[in-house]
Amino acid sequence: MNTTAPTTPAVSIREVTKRFGDVTAVDAVSLDIADGEFFAMLGPSGCGKTTTLRMIAGLEFPTEGSLQIFGDEVGTLPPNKRPVNTVFQNYALFPHMNVLDNVSFGLRMSGVEKKNAAMRAMDLIDLVQLTGMEKRKPNQLSGGQQQRVALARALVNKPKVLLLDEPLGALDLKLRQEMQTELKTLQRELGVSFVFVTHDQEEALTMSDRIAVMHDGELLQVGSAEELYERPVNRFVADFIGQTNLLPATVAENDMIVLDNGSKLLCPNPHAVGSKVSMSLRPESIRIGTRDAIPAPDQGTSLQGVVSDMSYLGHALLYTVKVDGLSLEVRSEPVSADRRFGPGDDVAVWWDRTADWVVPD
């Protein structure tokens, strides 16, 4: 018999709703965020992810529902009464203070003696790799360095949960990718729960232990990057997480669907007979070759088509293939001259039966 007590979630949200007048920004959201987890909240602008983060921070209060941090109800507490801190997209650094004073500010405000505050601040400055820059003002730092200062300032008071509201949004692509790695490494070293809001799918997939996908104030799916990418619960999640081909179809039998062009394909996951669905098929899951290269029928699904477009992406070739009135995006890797096709070429496309996934419309 397992007598291990369940671990208390770092953040527990139960049926939380937030209304602004007649507008429901967050609609009956329930989720748990584990202690030490890097958790991303992902969705398009206006989906409710930032409002949810602000409710955890205490910058907004729920209209309905329960919000707990490590088992304590905090839904009505002000920000300074919660064991959390927030890093904003604009960093919100004090321009007249140097790095050391910015980082130690929260400690000084909580009554820590100046010398001790400076020592703890320097520990964090060293952790975020800014040693030697403690006397610089924010306007003397790069965007990435300013973000590290904001992180150090947010962490110096040892919050139990760190909230990050699109903190990489103001950085250029190369620096943003570098900071993704640094943030994940920092989170692992500290073991603090990070709740990270972003609209960037790649960012969420790269950094997070689990991801919550939101749309129109509703929580659609929570899972690992692999679960969301390979087994989305509906058409929106399939389309929002990465690139995919979504082919409209109808369920003919429990194990078969009929595409709108009449093609019959085996269905890997059951849906009610007669229901309208879409088959999600990732471009990188599709193989492309000459028509005589089609594998045996028992090895997967194969169709014949014609290339209508080809784009060179450097690391891959992206084809558009017309198949009996359907249009398929096909990503071919690695790039090699002897495998290229051009517009007008007759080709075959095929994929393993485990590669497609049917979602309800």
Side-chain angles (χ1 to χ4, degrees), residues 49-60 82 88 165:
K49 59 187 185 296
T50 295
T51 300
T52 302
L53 189 84
R54 289 175 62 84
M55 285 191 286
I56 299 172
L59 302 173
E60 302 286 352
R82 305 186 186 199
F88 299 98
D165 187 7

Side-chain angles (χ1 to χ4, degrees), residues 92-303:
L93 300 176
F94 298 115
H96 62 286
M97 292 185 183
N98 62 28
V99 170
L100 180 60
D101 290 340
N102 263 286
V103 175
S104 63
F105 178 79
L107 294 172
R108 297 292 307 280
M109 292 298 293
S110 61
V112 177
E113 190 268 329
K114 183 176 181 179
K115 182 179 179 180
N116 290 336
M119 290 176 61
R120 283 173 59 180
M122 283 303 302
D123 288 341
L124 266 297
I125 290 170
D126 180 59
L127 183 66
V128 298
Q129 302 176 29
L130 288 177
T131 304
M133 299 186 184
E134 56 271 13
K135 297 301 181 183
R136 294 188 186 183
K137 299 287 182 63
N139 63 4
Q140 297 174 305
L141 302 174
S142 68
Q145 290 167 341
Q146 290 182 38
Q147 197 222 42
R148 291 189 184 98
V149 176
L151 279 169
R153 187 178 64 179
L155 290 166
V156 75
N157 276 324
K158 300 180 179 179
K160 292 183 178 179
V161 180
L162 185 66
L163 310 174
L164 303 107
D165 187 7
E166 306 220 32
L168 308 182
L171 305 178
D172 61 57
L173 177 60
K174 182 172 173 46
L175 183 55
R176 189 161 68 243
Q177 291 172 337
E178 291 174 358
M179 290 303 301
Q180 289 173 10
T181 302
E182 290 188 17
L183 262 182
K184 184 61 180 175
T185 301
L186 180 65
Q187 189 267 337
R188 285 174 175 163
E189 289 179 2
L190 294 171
V192 175
S193 301
F194 277 26
V195 184
F196 187 92
V197 161
T198 181
H199 64 272
D200 188 312
Q201 300 94 322
E202 183 177 344
E203 197 166 85
L205 293 171
T206 300
M207 301 170 67
S208 311
D209 298 317
R210 286 192 306 147
I211 303 167
V213 180
M214 296 187 68
H215 182 53
D216 287 342
E218 295 183 0
L219 181 64
L220 300 184
Q221 187 173 0
V222 179
S224 67
E226 184 177 356
E227 289 169 342
L228 268 59
Y229 192 80
E230 297 186 3
R231 297 292 181 263
V233 295
N234 60 23
R235 184 184 176 96
F236 177 85
V237 177
D239 194 33
F240 192 74
I241 303 292
Q243 289 182 296
T244 194
N245 296 285
L246 285 168
L247 307 180
T250 303
V251 179
E253 303 173 28
N254 285 335
D255 60 351
M256 183 173 291
I257 59 172
V258 179
L259 301 181
D260 282 5
N261 71 343
S263 298
K264 293 184 178 181
L265 301 175
L266 291 175
C267 173
N269 50 322
H271 291 269
V273 173
S275 60
K276 294 294 183 180
V277 295
S278 290
M279 186 182 77
S280 174
L281 183 60
R282 302 291 181 181
E284 67 273 14
S285 298
I286 308 173
R287 302 288 300 278
I288 185 170
T290 58
R291 291 190 174 182
D292 59 4
I294 297 177
D298 61 348
Q299 294 179 358
T301 301
S302 60
L303 299 168

